Amino acid sequence: MHQSLILAAGLLLAGNAWAMRSGNEPIQPIEPATVSDAAKVELGKQLFFDPRLSKSGVISCNSCHNLSMGGSDNLPTSVGHNWQQGPINSPTVLNSSMNVAQFWDGRAKDLQEQAGGPIANPKEMGFSHEQAVAVVASIPQYREAFRKVYKNDTITVAAITDAIAAFEKTLVTPNSRFDRWLKGDQQALSPTELDGYRLFKDTGCTACHNGPAVGGNSFQKMGQVAPYKTDNPAEGVAGLTGKDVDRFKFKVPTLRNVELTYPYFHDGAYWKLEEAVDVMARLQLGRQLRPDEIGKITAFLKTLTGEQPSFPLPILPPSSNDTSRPQPFN
Amino acid sequence: MHQSLILAAGLLLAGNAWAMRSGNEPIQPIEPATVSDAAKVELGKQLFFDPRLSKSGVISCNSCHNLSMGGSDNLPTSVGHNWQQGPINSPTVLNSSMNVAQFWDGRAKDLQEQAGGPIANPKEMGFSHEQAVAVVASIPQYREAFRKVYKNDTITVAAITDAIAAFEKTLVTPNSRFDRWLKGDQQALSPTELDGYRLFKDTGCTACHNGPAVGGNSFQKMGQVAPYKTDNPAEGVAGLTGKDVDRFKFKVPTLRNVELTYPYFHDGAYWKLEEAVDVMARLQLGRQLRPDEIGKITAFLKTLTGEQPSFPLPILPPSSNDTSRPQPFN
């Protein structure tokens, strides 16, 4: 009884500490996903892993947003249909539901809209929405699943991308060491990592990298203080608006799981997290960090690696005799 | 007590029925895998899914032996490094430990020897064994896993392929409806499926497609009675021996999960199981089957789909700053 009281008091204190800290800290913990429609999520998971949404029958959503590899492909730019080189780094799908918009330039308003892009992009999956719908509709088990989830006998690209988005919304990574610290576990971070977090704030990184996703919620110019040198021709938001003020404005990427999502920046030009920290501090904030400071911030950033989504590898329903055949070589 | 006795007698009868049937039937049930070294299997699973064993960082074992798709890629021939077209159909990895040897021409004696082939094949993963070893050895979590499993600080390609083979040996598919019938469950097959099985035997298919894997245990000439027409230049075992008697001799593929492993034959030229049955009967056995007979045999063949391997998608350990970078485009 005595011990329980002490424990209860301790929990109360921890709870208060968290409440206080949450109020003060620029980063908030990620909460686990809540699934309201398990059948839709399961369908979306199958579609996310299904290479039959591509012309070749080889490329799935998971090819470039590989959930074994931090939801990314760990390449500067992706390999698309016919081995074409993608124009920009594939961002992680993890925690992407928290992004203010999708793609580096924000041209898709949400995950559903995003999911339709690569399917029909000739440099990515090289298919069309009509062809993807026809393939899915030719597979009896998919027809049954869509009927069950959407109460409709007609499969549409809107339903396909809605299911994929529903699955993607479950791809959150809670319970990182940093989140455990935020919630009051003082032992979750080492002194070096805590120093790194303080430096991260003091240097000004949290001006853009804040919120539950530690980014993803604003567009900023790449090269605020000094220009970013790159061979990549992407213009950012200006590619959509045509406005000079939007040149090199890109969505600030999430730093959740940044340990897993190398190489960095929209051109994927930097492989080492230490280098990325150095570049950001100099070009965005006009700060030249010392190596020990970079080391501490990097140590902090690695505490943002959360629990990776865990689920059985989906088993895809087989094609039927009516399914059109993949065309990898013509 | 009375009921238990009846139940016991029933089980005894079922047991006898199975014993009798096992003795008489040319196909035996698949047993679930027994895992003696779980850490090795887990390591092999990660390596099986790791595209860093390829030059591009894009192609893993799972790319062509996709465990979401019956352990195959459902293509006539695979897409390799730089989108090169593979020379021959990628056979399923499911139940492949039961094969008398590996590859269509049997040139690898076992799964370990097979696993080394694609890594170093310039048309497949386009890497070298030395480069693959260097990548794996640069990743701290892999170093730790290898140390734990192999009690050795030096990572070798032999250890990498041994771990992959250990994982592949777990990829068996027990409890198909046909196996349940073999074990005495009379309700597991429909009358049509049972008719198909009898036709499968009476037509002579079991001369080659027998044993637990329903194939995989002998080499036979493709086109015994009449020649098989194909544009595929593969010569089969003759490519190894140079002997004319070995021309077009290929390993008889397993028919387990054949519903999932389309398209069929070493050239992947046939997509419909009905067509494959027809071609086999004509060219191997000199029998022209009627459409209803083909339908029944096809119905039987679909009862060979077993429980697909189920496990959480592996999460791969991140590269370190010392890991050499993937080279997809040069």
PDB file of all heavy atoms in Angstrom, chain A residues 73-77 89 258-259 261-265 267-276, chain B residues 52 56-57 319-328:
ATOM      1  N   ASP A  73      13.490   4.710 -50.530  1.00  0.00           N
ATOM      2  CA  ASP A  73      14.302   3.731 -51.267  1.00  0.00           C
ATOM      3  C   ASP A  73      15.799   3.951 -51.066  1.00  0.00           C
ATOM      4  O   ASP A  73      16.605   3.224 -51.653  1.00  0.00           O
ATOM      5  CB  ASP A  73      13.946   3.698 -52.757  1.00  0.00           C
ATOM      6  CG  ASP A  73      14.102   5.053 -53.430  1.00  0.00           C
ATOM      7  OD1 ASP A  73      14.627   5.988 -52.802  1.00  0.00           O
ATOM      8  OD2 ASP A  73      13.681   5.184 -54.591  1.00  0.00           O
ATOM      9  N   ASN A  74      16.133   4.925 -50.246  1.00  0.00           N
ATOM     10  CA  ASN A  74      17.551   5.170 -49.939  1.00  0.00           C
ATOM     11  C   ASN A  74      18.385   5.382 -51.200  1.00  0.00           C
ATOM     12  O   ASN A  74      19.531   4.926 -51.298  1.00  0.00           O
ATOM     13  CB  ASN A  74      18.127   4.037 -49.072  1.00  0.00           C
ATOM     14  CG  ASN A  74      17.523   3.966 -47.679  1.00  0.00           C
ATOM     15  OD1 ASN A  74      17.321   2.884 -47.139  1.00  0.00           O
ATOM     16  ND2 ASN A  74      17.205   5.105 -47.074  1.00  0.00           N
ATOM     17  N   LEU A  75      17.793   6.062 -52.156  1.00  0.00           N
ATOM     18  CA  LEU A  75      18.501   6.465 -53.376  1.00  0.00           C
ATOM     19  C   LEU A  75      18.342   7.970 -53.544  1.00  0.00           C
ATOM     20  O   LEU A  75      17.340   8.538 -53.093  1.00  0.00           O
ATOM     21  CB  LEU A  75      17.887   5.785 -54.604  1.00  0.00           C
ATOM     22  CG  LEU A  75      17.987   4.275 -54.687  1.00  0.00           C
ATOM     23  CD1 LEU A  75      17.228   3.774 -55.913  1.00  0.00           C
ATOM     24  CD2 LEU A  75      19.448   3.831 -54.744  1.00  0.00           C
ATOM     25  N   PRO A  76      19.284   8.641 -54.220  1.00  0.00           N
ATOM     26  CA  PRO A  76      19.101  10.082 -54.469  1.00  0.00           C
ATOM     27  C   PRO A  76      17.791  10.346 -55.206  1.00  0.00           C
ATOM     28  O   PRO A  76      16.982  11.163 -54.770  1.00  0.00           O
ATOM     29  CB  PRO A  76      20.325  10.450 -55.316  1.00  0.00           C
ATOM     30  CG  PRO A  76      21.373   9.461 -54.902  1.00  0.00           C
ATOM     31  CD  PRO A  76      20.621   8.164 -54.655  1.00  0.00           C
ATOM     32  N   THR A  77      17.590   9.647 -56.318  1.00  0.00           N
ATOM     33  CA  THR A  77      16.295   9.681 -57.001  1.00  0.00           C
ATOM     34  C   THR A  77      15.979   8.258 -57.426  1.00  0.00           C
ATOM     35  O   THR A  77      16.871   7.434 -57.610  1.00  0.00           O
ATOM     36  CB  THR A  77      16.301  10.625 -58.218  1.00  0.00           C
ATOM     37  OG1 THR A  77      17.264  10.147 -59.165  1.00  0.00           O
ATOM     38  CG2 THR A  77      16.669  12.040 -57.814  1.00  0.00           C
ATOM     39  N   ASN A  89      14.116  13.320 -55.100  1.00  0.00           N
ATOM     40  CA  ASN A  89      14.189  12.281 -54.064  1.00  0.00           C
ATOM     41  C   ASN A  89      12.798  11.839 -53.610  1.00  0.00           C
ATOM     42  O   ASN A  89      11.922  12.666 -53.379  1.00  0.00           O
ATOM     43  CB  ASN A  89      14.973  12.852 -52.869  1.00  0.00           C
ATOM     44  CG  ASN A  89      15.152  11.837 -51.761  1.00  0.00           C
ATOM     45  OD1 ASN A  89      14.452  11.880 -50.761  1.00  0.00           O
ATOM     46  ND2 ASN A  89      16.072  10.912 -51.927  1.00  0.00           N
ATOM     47  N   VAL A 258      14.736  10.075 -39.495  1.00  0.00           N
ATOM     48  CA  VAL A 258      15.707  10.624 -40.456  1.00  0.00           C
ATOM     49  C   VAL A 258      16.971   9.758 -40.534  1.00  0.00           C
ATOM     50  O   VAL A 258      17.664   9.733 -41.557  1.00  0.00           O
ATOM     51  CB  VAL A 258      16.023  12.100 -40.084  1.00  0.00           C
ATOM     52  CG1 VAL A 258      16.826  12.189 -38.788  1.00  0.00           C
ATOM     53  CG2 VAL A 258      16.721  12.825 -41.222  1.00  0.00           C
ATOM     54  N   GLU A 259      17.219   9.001 -39.479  1.00  0.00           N
ATOM     55  CA  GLU A 259      18.339   8.050 -39.490  1.00  0.00           C
ATOM     56  C   GLU A 259      18.182   7.015 -40.614  1.00  0.00           C
ATOM     57  O   GLU A 259      19.164   6.454 -41.107  1.00  0.00           O
ATOM     58  CB  GLU A 259      18.346   7.322 -38.128  1.00  0.00           C
ATOM     59  CG  GLU A 259      19.366   6.230 -37.979  1.00  0.00           C
ATOM     60  CD  GLU A 259      19.218   5.500 -36.631  1.00  0.00           C
ATOM     61  OE1 GLU A 259      18.132   5.613 -35.989  1.00  0.00           O
ATOM     62  OE2 GLU A 259      20.179   4.824 -36.231  1.00  0.00           O
ATOM     63  N   THR A 261      16.267   7.546 -43.548  1.00  0.00           N
ATOM     64  CA  THR A 261      15.737   8.074 -44.813  1.00  0.00           C
ATOM     65  C   THR A 261      16.787   8.798 -45.658  1.00  0.00           C
ATOM     66  O   THR A 261      16.440   9.657 -46.463  1.00  0.00           O
ATOM     67  CB  THR A 261      14.529   9.006 -44.555  1.00  0.00           C
ATOM     68  OG1 THR A 261      14.964  10.090 -43.721  1.00  0.00           O
ATOM     69  CG2 THR A 261      13.396   8.260 -43.879  1.00  0.00           C
ATOM     70  N   TYR A 262      18.051   8.445 -45.451  1.00  0.00           N
ATOM     71  CA  TYR A 262      19.131   8.961 -46.298  1.00  0.00           C
ATOM     72  C   TYR A 262      18.898   8.523 -47.741  1.00  0.00           C
ATOM     73  O   TYR A 262      18.232   7.515 -47.942  1.00  0.00           O
ATOM     74  CB  TYR A 262      20.491   8.425 -45.785  1.00  0.00           C
ATOM     75  CG  TYR A 262      20.488   6.921 -45.640  1.00  0.00           C
ATOM     76  CD1 TYR A 262      20.847   6.075 -46.711  1.00  0.00           C
ATOM     77  CD2 TYR A 262      20.082   6.309 -44.434  1.00  0.00           C
ATOM     78  CE1 TYR A 262      20.812   4.696 -46.590  1.00  0.00           C
ATOM     79  CE2 TYR A 262      20.040   4.930 -44.311  1.00  0.00           C
ATOM     80  CZ  TYR A 262      20.412   4.143 -45.391  1.00  0.00           C
ATOM     81  OH  TYR A 262      20.365   2.767 -45.278  1.00  0.00           O
ATOM     82  N   PRO A 263      19.476   9.161 -48.746  1.00  0.00           N
ATOM     83  CA  PRO A 263      20.211  10.424 -48.688  1.00  0.00           C
ATOM     84  C   PRO A 263      19.230  11.600 -48.578  1.00  0.00           C
ATOM     85  O   PRO A 263      18.045  11.456 -48.815  1.00  0.00           O
ATOM     86  CB  PRO A 263      20.962  10.438 -50.020  1.00  0.00           C
ATOM     87  CG  PRO A 263      20.125   9.631 -50.953  1.00  0.00           C
ATOM     88  CD  PRO A 263      19.452   8.588 -50.105  1.00  0.00           C
ATOM     89  N   TYR A 264      19.778  12.779 -48.230  1.00  0.00           N
ATOM     90  CA  TYR A 264      18.951  13.895 -47.785  1.00  0.00           C
ATOM     91  C   TYR A 264      18.768  15.003 -48.827  1.00  0.00           C
ATOM     92  O   TYR A 264      19.556  15.130 -49.753  1.00  0.00           O
ATOM     93  CB  TYR A 264      19.555  14.474 -46.491  1.00  0.00           C
ATOM     94  CG  TYR A 264      19.686  13.391 -45.432  1.00  0.00           C
ATOM     95  CD1 TYR A 264      20.938  12.890 -45.056  1.00  0.00           C
ATOM     96  CD2 TYR A 264      18.554  12.807 -44.868  1.00  0.00           C
ATOM     97  CE1 TYR A 264      21.046  11.866 -44.119  1.00  0.00           C
ATOM     98  CE2 TYR A 264      18.657  11.785 -43.934  1.00  0.00           C
ATOM     99  CZ  TYR A 264      19.901  11.316 -43.567  1.00  0.00           C
ATOM    100  OH  TYR A 264      19.997  10.300 -42.664  1.00  0.00           O
ATOM    101  N   PHE A 265      17.750  15.790 -48.597  1.00  0.00           N
ATOM    102  CA  PHE A 265      17.326  16.950 -49.404  1.00  0.00           C
ATOM    103  C   PHE A 265      16.599  16.500 -50.678  1.00  0.00           C
ATOM    104  O   PHE A 265      16.587  15.328 -51.019  1.00  0.00           O
ATOM    105  CB  PHE A 265      18.502  17.890 -49.727  1.00  0.00           C
ATOM    106  CG  PHE A 265      19.266  18.327 -48.490  1.00  0.00           C
ATOM    107  CD1 PHE A 265      20.648  18.486 -48.526  1.00  0.00           C
ATOM    108  CD2 PHE A 265      18.611  18.538 -47.288  1.00  0.00           C
ATOM    109  CE1 PHE A 265      21.353  18.880 -47.395  1.00  0.00           C
ATOM    110  CE2 PHE A 265      19.308  18.930 -46.148  1.00  0.00           C
ATOM    111  CZ  PHE A 265      20.677  19.094 -46.207  1.00  0.00           C
ATOM    112  N   ASP A 267      17.265  16.714 -53.638  1.00  0.00           N
ATOM    113  CA  ASP A 267      18.090  16.095 -54.669  1.00  0.00           C
ATOM    114  C   ASP A 267      18.826  14.867 -54.155  1.00  0.00           C
ATOM    115  O   ASP A 267      19.569  14.223 -54.908  1.00  0.00           O
ATOM    116  CB  ASP A 267      19.087  17.115 -55.246  1.00  0.00           C
ATOM    117  CG  ASP A 267      20.015  17.695 -54.172  1.00  0.00           C
ATOM    118  OD1 ASP A 267      19.803  17.401 -52.965  1.00  0.00           O
ATOM    119  OD2 ASP A 267      20.939  18.446 -54.534  1.00  0.00           O
ATOM    120  N   GLY A 268      18.637  14.521 -52.893  1.00  0.00           N
ATOM    121  CA  GLY A 268      19.298  13.341 -52.329  1.00  0.00           C
ATOM    122  C   GLY A 268      20.813  13.408 -52.430  1.00  0.00           C
ATOM    123  O   GLY A 268      21.475  12.372 -52.596  1.00  0.00           O
ATOM    124  N   ALA A 269      21.369  14.590 -52.319  1.00  0.00           N
ATOM    125  CA  ALA A 269      22.802  14.754 -52.581  1.00  0.00           C
ATOM    126  C   ALA A 269      23.685  14.438 -51.377  1.00  0.00           C
ATOM    127  O   ALA A 269      24.882  14.207 -51.545  1.00  0.00           O
ATOM    128  CB  ALA A 269      23.073  16.181 -53.058  1.00  0.00           C
ATOM    129  N   TYR A 270      23.115  14.407 -50.191  1.00  0.00           N
ATOM    130  CA  TYR A 270      23.933  14.201 -48.989  1.00  0.00           C
ATOM    131  C   TYR A 270      23.543  12.896 -48.288  1.00  0.00           C
ATOM    132  O   TYR A 270      22.377  12.694 -47.955  1.00  0.00           O
ATOM    133  CB  TYR A 270      23.786  15.388 -48.031  1.00  0.00           C
ATOM    134  CG  TYR A 270      24.466  16.622 -48.567  1.00  0.00           C
ATOM    135  CD1 TYR A 270      23.793  17.478 -49.437  1.00  0.00           C
ATOM    136  CD2 TYR A 270      25.791  16.900 -48.250  1.00  0.00           C
ATOM    137  CE1 TYR A 270      24.422  18.594 -49.964  1.00  0.00           C
ATOM    138  CE2 TYR A 270      26.424  18.024 -48.772  1.00  0.00           C
ATOM    139  CZ  TYR A 270      25.741  18.863 -49.631  1.00  0.00           C
ATOM    140  OH  TYR A 270      26.376  19.958 -50.153  1.00  0.00           O
ATOM    141  N   TRP A 271      24.531  12.056 -48.073  1.00  0.00           N
ATOM    142  CA  TRP A 271      24.278  10.730 -47.494  1.00  0.00           C
ATOM    143  C   TRP A 271      24.487  10.718 -45.987  1.00  0.00           C
ATOM    144  O   TRP A 271      23.949   9.860 -45.301  1.00  0.00           O
ATOM    145  CB  TRP A 271      25.204   9.692 -48.143  1.00  0.00           C
ATOM    146  CG  TRP A 271      24.818   9.419 -49.559  1.00  0.00           C
ATOM    147  CD1 TRP A 271      25.092  10.183 -50.644  1.00  0.00           C
ATOM    148  CD2 TRP A 271      24.034   8.309 -50.030  1.00  0.00           C
ATOM    149  NE1 TRP A 271      24.543   9.617 -51.774  1.00  0.00           N
ATOM    150  CE2 TRP A 271      23.900   8.467 -51.426  1.00  0.00           C
ATOM    151  CE3 TRP A 271      23.453   7.204 -49.402  1.00  0.00           C
ATOM    152  CZ2 TRP A 271      23.196   7.544 -52.210  1.00  0.00           C
ATOM    153  CZ3 TRP A 271      22.763   6.294 -50.182  1.00  0.00           C
ATOM    154  CH2 TRP A 271      22.630   6.470 -51.570  1.00  0.00           C
ATOM    155  N   LYS A 272      25.333  11.624 -45.498  1.00  0.00           N
ATOM    156  CA  LYS A 272      25.657  11.594 -44.065  1.00  0.00           C
ATOM    157  C   LYS A 272      24.794  12.618 -43.341  1.00  0.00           C
ATOM    158  O   LYS A 272      24.735  13.793 -43.728  1.00  0.00           O
ATOM    159  CB  LYS A 272      27.141  11.890 -43.846  1.00  0.00           C
ATOM    160  CG  LYS A 272      28.044  10.847 -44.495  1.00  0.00           C
ATOM    161  CD  LYS A 272      29.519  11.159 -44.285  1.00  0.00           C
ATOM    162  CE  LYS A 272      30.371  10.115 -45.021  1.00  0.00           C
ATOM    163  NZ  LYS A 272      31.806  10.423 -44.989  1.00  0.00           N
ATOM    164  N   LEU A 273      24.193  12.166 -42.257  1.00  0.00           N
ATOM    165  CA  LEU A 273      23.331  13.049 -41.477  1.00  0.00           C
ATOM    166  C   LEU A 273      24.123  14.232 -40.939  1.00  0.00           C
ATOM    167  O   LEU A 273      23.610  15.365 -40.900  1.00  0.00           O
ATOM    168  CB  LEU A 273      22.695  12.225 -40.344  1.00  0.00           C
ATOM    169  CG  LEU A 273      21.530  12.821 -39.575  1.00  0.00           C
ATOM    170  CD1 LEU A 273      20.493  13.468 -40.483  1.00  0.00           C
ATOM    171  CD2 LEU A 273      20.882  11.737 -38.716  1.00  0.00           C
ATOM    172  N   GLU A 274      25.382  13.994 -40.590  1.00  0.00           N
ATOM    173  CA  GLU A 274      26.230  15.080 -40.086  1.00  0.00           C
ATOM    174  C   GLU A 274      26.367  16.183 -41.142  1.00  0.00           C
ATOM    175  O   GLU A 274      26.332  17.380 -40.824  1.00  0.00           O
ATOM    176  CB  GLU A 274      27.623  14.553 -39.710  1.00  0.00           C
ATOM    177  CG  GLU A 274      27.647  13.595 -38.532  1.00  0.00           C
ATOM    178  CD  GLU A 274      27.336  12.137 -38.884  1.00  0.00           C
ATOM    179  OE1 GLU A 274      26.939  11.872 -40.046  1.00  0.00           O
ATOM    180  OE2 GLU A 274      27.479  11.277 -37.999  1.00  0.00           O
ATOM    181  N   GLU A 275      26.556  15.754 -42.402  1.00  0.00           N
ATOM    182  CA  GLU A 275      26.689  16.741 -43.479  1.00  0.00           C
ATOM    183  C   GLU A 275      25.387  17.509 -43.681  1.00  0.00           C
ATOM    184  O   GLU A 275      25.400  18.728 -43.916  1.00  0.00           O
ATOM    185  CB  GLU A 275      27.066  16.042 -44.789  1.00  0.00           C
ATOM    186  CG  GLU A 275      28.491  15.504 -44.798  1.00  0.00           C
ATOM    187  CD  GLU A 275      28.798  14.706 -46.056  1.00  0.00           C
ATOM    188  OE1 GLU A 275      27.861  14.340 -46.788  1.00  0.00           O
ATOM    189  OE2 GLU A 275      29.987  14.419 -46.293  1.00  0.00           O
ATOM    190  N   ALA A 276      24.277  16.794 -43.589  1.00  0.00           N
ATOM    191  CA  ALA A 276      22.984  17.459 -43.783  1.00  0.00           C
ATOM    192  C   ALA A 276      22.757  18.511 -42.696  1.00  0.00           C
ATOM    193  O   ALA A 276      22.259  19.608 -42.978  1.00  0.00           O
ATOM    194  CB  ALA A 276      21.851  16.431 -43.776  1.00  0.00           C
TER     195      ALA A 276
ATOM    196  N   ARG B  52      20.246  -3.930 -51.013  1.00  0.00           N
ATOM    197  CA  ARG B  52      21.658  -3.518 -51.014  1.00  0.00           C
ATOM    198  C   ARG B  52      22.590  -4.645 -51.417  1.00  0.00           C
ATOM    199  O   ARG B  52      23.802  -4.435 -51.543  1.00  0.00           O
ATOM    200  CB  ARG B  52      22.025  -2.945 -49.644  1.00  0.00           C
ATOM    201  CG  ARG B  52      21.386  -1.588 -49.390  1.00  0.00           C
ATOM    202  CD  ARG B  52      21.573  -1.142 -47.956  1.00  0.00           C
ATOM    203  NE  ARG B  52      20.870  -2.035 -47.039  1.00  0.00           N
ATOM    204  CZ  ARG B  52      20.743  -1.822 -45.729  1.00  0.00           C
ATOM    205  NH1 ARG B  52      21.286  -0.731 -45.191  1.00  0.00           N
ATOM    206  NH2 ARG B  52      20.088  -2.667 -44.966  1.00  0.00           N
ATOM    207  N   SER B  56      22.481  -1.704 -57.847  1.00  0.00           N
ATOM    208  CA  SER B  56      21.587  -0.541 -57.924  1.00  0.00           C
ATOM    209  C   SER B  56      20.993  -0.147 -56.585  1.00  0.00           C
ATOM    210  O   SER B  56      20.497   0.966 -56.427  1.00  0.00           O
ATOM    211  CB  SER B  56      20.437  -0.850 -58.881  1.00  0.00           C
ATOM    212  OG  SER B  56      19.673  -1.937 -58.377  1.00  0.00           O
ATOM    213  N   GLY B  57      20.990  -1.078 -55.631  1.00  0.00           N
ATOM    214  CA  GLY B  57      20.265  -0.823 -54.395  1.00  0.00           C
ATOM    215  C   GLY B  57      18.769  -0.975 -54.569  1.00  0.00           C
ATOM    216  O   GLY B  57      17.991  -0.546 -53.705  1.00  0.00           O
ATOM    217  N   SER B 319      22.093   1.624 -43.332  1.00  0.00           N
ATOM    218  CA  SER B 319      23.495   1.725 -43.733  1.00  0.00           C
ATOM    219  C   SER B 319      24.227   2.649 -42.767  1.00  0.00           C
ATOM    220  O   SER B 319      23.609   3.440 -42.051  1.00  0.00           O
ATOM    221  CB  SER B 319      23.603   2.302 -45.149  1.00  0.00           C
ATOM    222  OG  SER B 319      22.997   1.438 -46.090  1.00  0.00           O
ATOM    223  N   SER B 320      25.546   2.551 -42.759  1.00  0.00           N
ATOM    224  CA  SER B 320      26.360   3.468 -41.961  1.00  0.00           C
ATOM    225  C   SER B 320      27.049   4.454 -42.909  1.00  0.00           C
ATOM    226  O   SER B 320      26.933   4.346 -44.128  1.00  0.00           O
ATOM    227  CB  SER B 320      27.408   2.685 -41.174  1.00  0.00           C
ATOM    228  OG  SER B 320      28.424   2.244 -42.056  1.00  0.00           O
ATOM    229  N   ASN B 321      27.774   5.381 -42.335  1.00  0.00           N
ATOM    230  CA  ASN B 321      28.525   6.320 -43.173  1.00  0.00           C
ATOM    231  C   ASN B 321      29.602   5.613 -43.991  1.00  0.00           C
ATOM    232  O   ASN B 321      30.119   6.173 -44.952  1.00  0.00           O
ATOM    233  CB  ASN B 321      29.156   7.407 -42.299  1.00  0.00           C
ATOM    234  CG  ASN B 321      28.120   8.441 -41.852  1.00  0.00           C
ATOM    235  OD1 ASN B 321      26.982   8.438 -42.339  1.00  0.00           O
ATOM    236  ND2 ASN B 321      28.504   9.313 -40.924  1.00  0.00           N
ATOM    237  N   ASP B 322      29.940   4.374 -43.609  1.00  0.00           N
ATOM    238  CA  ASP B 322      30.969   3.617 -44.338  1.00  0.00           C
ATOM    239  C   ASP B 322      30.404   2.746 -45.446  1.00  0.00           C
ATOM    240  O   ASP B 322      31.173   2.143 -46.211  1.00  0.00           O
ATOM    241  CB  ASP B 322      31.735   2.717 -43.361  1.00  0.00           C
ATOM    242  CG  ASP B 322      32.456   3.519 -42.288  1.00  0.00           C
ATOM    243  OD1 ASP B 322      32.889   4.649 -42.599  1.00  0.00           O
ATOM    244  OD2 ASP B 322      32.570   3.029 -41.142  1.00  0.00           O
ATOM    245  N   THR B 323      29.100   2.649 -45.516  1.00  0.00           N
ATOM    246  CA  THR B 323      28.490   1.774 -46.525  1.00  0.00           C
ATOM    247  C   THR B 323      28.666   2.384 -47.911  1.00  0.00           C
ATOM    248  O   THR B 323      28.342   3.561 -48.112  1.00  0.00           O
ATOM    249  CB  THR B 323      26.985   1.586 -46.232  1.00  0.00           C
ATOM    250  OG1 THR B 323      26.822   1.152 -44.885  1.00  0.00           O
ATOM    251  CG2 THR B 323      26.372   0.559 -47.176  1.00  0.00           C
ATOM    252  N   SER B 324      29.148   1.586 -48.861  1.00  0.00           N
ATOM    253  CA  SER B 324      29.290   2.125 -50.214  1.00  0.00           C
ATOM    254  C   SER B 324      27.897   2.375 -50.783  1.00  0.00           C
ATOM    255  O   SER B 324      26.942   1.683 -50.451  1.00  0.00           O
ATOM    256  CB  SER B 324      30.073   1.160 -51.100  1.00  0.00           C
ATOM    257  OG  SER B 324      29.336  -0.022 -51.299  1.00  0.00           O
ATOM    258  N   ARG B 325      27.795   3.380 -51.608  1.00  0.00           N
ATOM    259  CA  ARG B 325      26.482   3.812 -52.076  1.00  0.00           C
ATOM    260  C   ARG B 325      26.013   2.997 -53.265  1.00  0.00           C
ATOM    261  O   ARG B 325      26.810   2.615 -54.114  1.00  0.00           O
ATOM    262  CB  ARG B 325      26.549   5.296 -52.455  1.00  0.00           C
ATOM    263  CG  ARG B 325      26.821   6.132 -51.236  1.00  0.00           C
ATOM    264  CD  ARG B 325      27.276   7.531 -51.595  1.00  0.00           C
ATOM    265  NE  ARG B 325      27.797   8.179 -50.405  1.00  0.00           N
ATOM    266  CZ  ARG B 325      28.489   9.310 -50.412  1.00  0.00           C
ATOM    267  NH1 ARG B 325      28.738   9.915 -51.553  1.00  0.00           N
ATOM    268  NH2 ARG B 325      28.928   9.821 -49.286  1.00  0.00           N
ATOM    269  N   PRO B 326      24.708   2.762 -53.343  1.00  0.00           N
ATOM    270  CA  PRO B 326      24.173   2.062 -54.505  1.00  0.00           C
ATOM    271  C   PRO B 326      24.435   2.859 -55.776  1.00  0.00           C
ATOM    272  O   PRO B 326      24.515   4.088 -55.736  1.00  0.00           O
ATOM    273  CB  PRO B 326      22.670   1.971 -54.210  1.00  0.00           C
ATOM    274  CG  PRO B 326      22.407   2.958 -53.127  1.00  0.00           C
ATOM    275  CD  PRO B 326      23.683   3.146 -52.372  1.00  0.00           C
ATOM    276  N   GLN B 327      24.571   2.145 -56.886  1.00  0.00           N
ATOM    277  CA  GLN B 327      24.897   2.787 -58.167  1.00  0.00           C
ATOM    278  C   GLN B 327      23.859   2.394 -59.208  1.00  0.00           C
ATOM    279  O   GLN B 327      24.146   1.614 -60.118  1.00  0.00           O
ATOM    280  CB  GLN B 327      26.295   2.333 -58.635  1.00  0.00           C
ATOM    281  CG  GLN B 327      27.425   2.570 -57.648  1.00  0.00           C
ATOM    282  CD  GLN B 327      27.841   4.032 -57.549  1.00  0.00           C
ATOM    283  OE1 GLN B 327      27.526   4.822 -58.444  1.00  0.00           O
ATOM    284  NE2 GLN B 327      28.515   4.390 -56.463  1.00  0.00           N
ATOM    285  N   PRO B 328      22.660   2.936 -59.114  1.00  0.00           N
ATOM    286  CA  PRO B 328      21.651   2.494 -60.098  1.00  0.00           C
ATOM    287  C   PRO B 328      21.923   2.987 -61.512  1.00  0.00           C
ATOM    288  O   PRO B 328      21.544   2.329 -62.470  1.00  0.00           O
ATOM    289  CB  PRO B 328      20.339   3.084 -59.554  1.00  0.00           C
ATOM    290  CG  PRO B 328      20.740   4.186 -58.632  1.00  0.00           C
ATOM    291  CD  PRO B 328      22.094   3.846 -58.104  1.00  0.00           C
TER     292      PRO B 328
END
